[in-house]
Amino acid sequence: EDKVVQSPLSLVVHEGDTVTLNCSYEVTNFRSLLWYKQEKKAPTFLFMLTSSGIEKKSGRLSSILDKKELFSILNITATQTGDSAVYLCAVPTNYGQNFVFGPGTRLSVLP
Amino acid sequence: DGGITQSPKYLFRKEGQNVTLSCEQNLNHDAMYWYRQDPGQGLRLIYYSQIVNDFQKGDIAEGYSVSREKKESFPLTVTSAQKNPTAFYLCASSMDRGDEQYFGPGTRLTVT
């Protein structure tokens, strides 16, 4: 059975801290891994990773994939209160027809 | 403005009633999806459609039905057979299967 696991499930930090969110997966016919940010309602897309070892970066957020060890990390540096959200990891399965989501990591950034 | 819309935002129904949730996109995307999200859990796939007039069951399709008569529209019906329908429902679309998904704002359904 295809599975995506995220850790930690919940994290509380103070502004300025750096955080690392983890996502591990077990899926057949792996193609890519996606990260989303969900603040109140609709998840918004952050990154899609397909190649191992190549970092994707957007401002203070960055992510990298390790296809050998079957995991990805999402780093957020110099966190701000606006980074408070649930961060979801997702992997397409069944040749991209289906998506399996992890449970998410709820990040709370305190002022 | 291109995007994906869902209506209504909040929906209240009595047990035993069928209810239909609307999802429309003007992004010209081929693929559309319906997810259910329960508190503290990730998204679980209900149904997906890669092209018009074709759709497939996801992991938790029992008690739900869909149609895809137009490329822009993918309505979800929650039937009385769904045992625990109270949840947050999200619709998404993508250019092609496996691509990044764009999500609508969601519909929160409460059944009493």
Side-chain angles (χ1 to χ4, degrees), chain B residues 43-79:
Chain B
L43 280 61
R44 291 184 290 168
L45 184 66
I46 305 173
Y47 268 99
Y48 61 96
S49 168
Q50 301 298 325
I51 55 171
V52 174
N53 292 323
D54 185 56
F55 47 83
Q56 305 295 329
K57 291 182 180 180
D59 299 321
I60 55 166
E62 187 175 346
Y64 299 97
S65 66
V66 294
S67 63
R68 185 91 186 272
E69 296 175 4
K70 297 186 298 182
K71 188 174 185 177
E72 308 80 42
S73 179
F74 191 40
L76 173 75
T77 296
V78 185
T79 75

Side-chain angles (χ1 to χ4, degrees), chain A residues 11-25:
Chain A
L11 189 56
V12 181
V13 300
H14 286 91
E15 271 192 318
D17 289 348
T18 293
V19 298
T20 298
L21 310 183
N22 302 290
C23 175
S24 62
Y25 60 90

Side-chain angles (χ1 to χ4, degrees), chain A residues 36-95:
Chain A
Y36 290 87
K37 177 183 182 182
Q38 185 178 25
E39 292 182 76
K40 287 210 176 9
K41 294 185 177 177
T44 53
F45 171 76
L46 294 174
F47 299 112
M48 177 188 277
L49 303 155
T50 56
S51 301
S52 203
I54 298 177
E55 185 183 54
K56 290 272 182 99
K57 199 169 168 65
S58 176
R60 296 175 294 102
L61 277 67
S62 64
S63 184
I64 197 160
L65 175 69
D66 186 328
K67 287 166 80 169
K68 185 180 174 189
E69 300 297 331
L70 308 182
F71 78 91
S72 172
I73 59 172
L74 175 68
N75 278 320
I76 308 175
T77 59
T79 52
Q80 303 171 356
T81 54
D83 295 326
S84 296
V86 175
Y87 289 84
L88 297 165
C89 173
V91 178
T93 64
N94 193 19
Y95 302 100

Side-chain angles (χ1 to χ4, degrees), chain A residues 2-6 23-27 89-91 100-103:
Chain A
D2 297 322
K3 189 166 63 172
V4 175
V5 177
Q6 291 185 248
C23 175
S24 62
Y25 60 90
E26 289 179 31
V27 300
C89 173
V91 178
V100 177
F101 278 78

